[in-house]
Amino acid sequence: MSEPTEKPQRLRVVVADDQAAVREPLAAVLGLSEGIDVVAAAADGREVLTAVAAGPVDVVLMDLRMPVMDGIEATRRLGEEYPEVAVVVLTTFADDDSILGALSAGARGYLTKNAGRQDITRAIRAAAAGQSVLDREVQDRLLAAVRTKAPAPAQDLPEDLTPREREVLTLIGQGLPNRGIAEKLFISEATVKTHINNLFAKAGIRDRADAVRRAIAAGLS
């Protein structure tokens, strides 16, 4: 007799937005998504920290412009106090300061509020798994912002990167998501994730935004 399979863990999510007209419907819709439990809704960054402290929480879906404590400061505080909690930004704003500020504070994903429920749930699951998902507009803005900065020395990348890992880094630098990289290289998304994990470990890359910077600095994109 075969042993019963263990049910996958449901992700515990906090939804943060200062507008109740956005926060409450979003929490209700996400609560209907398979594998996701909305455990709290917060109107500002301080309420986010309170909800996470009461935990457990896996992912915070974070607005940026909130009173009392904004989303960037709340993201930074979460990184210091609860590094196991992933943050996905969901905001109206896609300006350079907001994007770079949120990613520098430790956000793993960044979506604008025209994202659909599937995009949001995919980003939540990716963040919980330690991956990043960036809205296409955000990728383009990030790429443009990074390219305006002075490049770091080209020898910044370790010599033991494989040709495939360099290909993957090049495509990350061009703003492609994992699915786009898989299609471009005719490999599976799982294989792409493996290459990214190896690449990040070898090169000491922190996140996808850092990968874009390193790709451009090395002349790969």
Side-chain angles (χ1 to χ4, degrees):
M1 182 175 178
S2 61
E3 296 183 0
T5 57
E6 185 178 347
K7 292 179 68 175
Q9 179 182 352
R10 297 179 64 84
L11 296 177
R12 296 154 299 201
V13 176
V14 171
V15 174
D17 195 294
D18 65 324
Q19 298 183 47
V22 174
R23 181 177 69 248
E24 293 172 4
L26 181 58
V29 168
L30 287 178
L32 298 175
S33 300
E34 183 178 356
I36 292 178
D37 289 328
V38 177
V39 297
D44 57 61
R46 186 172 295 171
E47 289 187 9
V48 169
L49 295 176
T50 299
V52 172
V57 172
D58 300 301
V59 180
V60 175
L61 189 63
M62 184 85 77
D63 189 20
L64 289 186
R65 307 289 173 87
M66 297 185 292
V68 185
M69 181 187 295
D70 66 26
I72 291 177
E73 176 62 16
T75 299
R76 186 188 66 77
R77 291 275 298 274
L78 286 173
E80 293 175 352
E81 300 174 25
Y82 306 96
E84 72 281 5
V85 176
V87 173
V88 174
V89 170
L90 180 65
T91 182
T92 305
F93 305 96
D95 58 280
D96 294 349
D97 288 344
S98 295
I99 294 169
L100 295 174
L103 296 178
S104 297
R108 288 187 194 166
Y110 197 114
L111 303 176
T112 56
K113 285 185 177 176
N114 56 8
R117 186 178 80 167
Q118 288 186 339
D119 296 324
I120 296 171
T121 55
R122 183 170 67 248
I124 287 172
R125 294 186 179 110
Q131 302 157 19
S132 297
V133 173
L134 304 178
D135 185 281
R136 167 56 71 178
E137 179 185 357
V138 171
Q139 290 178 351
D140 292 344
R141 293 295 296 264
L142 178 61
L143 196 59
V146 172
R147 280 180 168 151
T148 63
K149 299 184 182 221
Q155 65 267 25
D156 192 36
L157 294 177
E159 295 182 358
D160 62 343
L161 290 186
T162 66
R164 181 63 92 191
E165 288 164 357
R166 286 181 176 271
E167 284 183 302
V168 169
L169 181 57
T170 298
L171 295 175
I172 291 175
Q174 293 173 3
L176 270 66
N178 287 4
R179 181 177 299 178
I181 295 172
E183 292 172 353
K184 190 86 171 177
L185 298 180
F186 302 101
I187 57 179
S188 69
E189 283 191 67
T191 301
V192 171
K193 291 175 185 176
T194 298
H195 287 311
I196 289 175
N197 289 338
N198 292 338
L199 163 66
F200 280 25
K202 287 181 181 179
I205 294 174
R206 299 185 305 275
D207 50 36
R208 213 170 185 96
D210 190 30
V212 172
R213 296 187 188 96
R214 298 285 288 278
I216 293 170
L220 297 180
S221 298

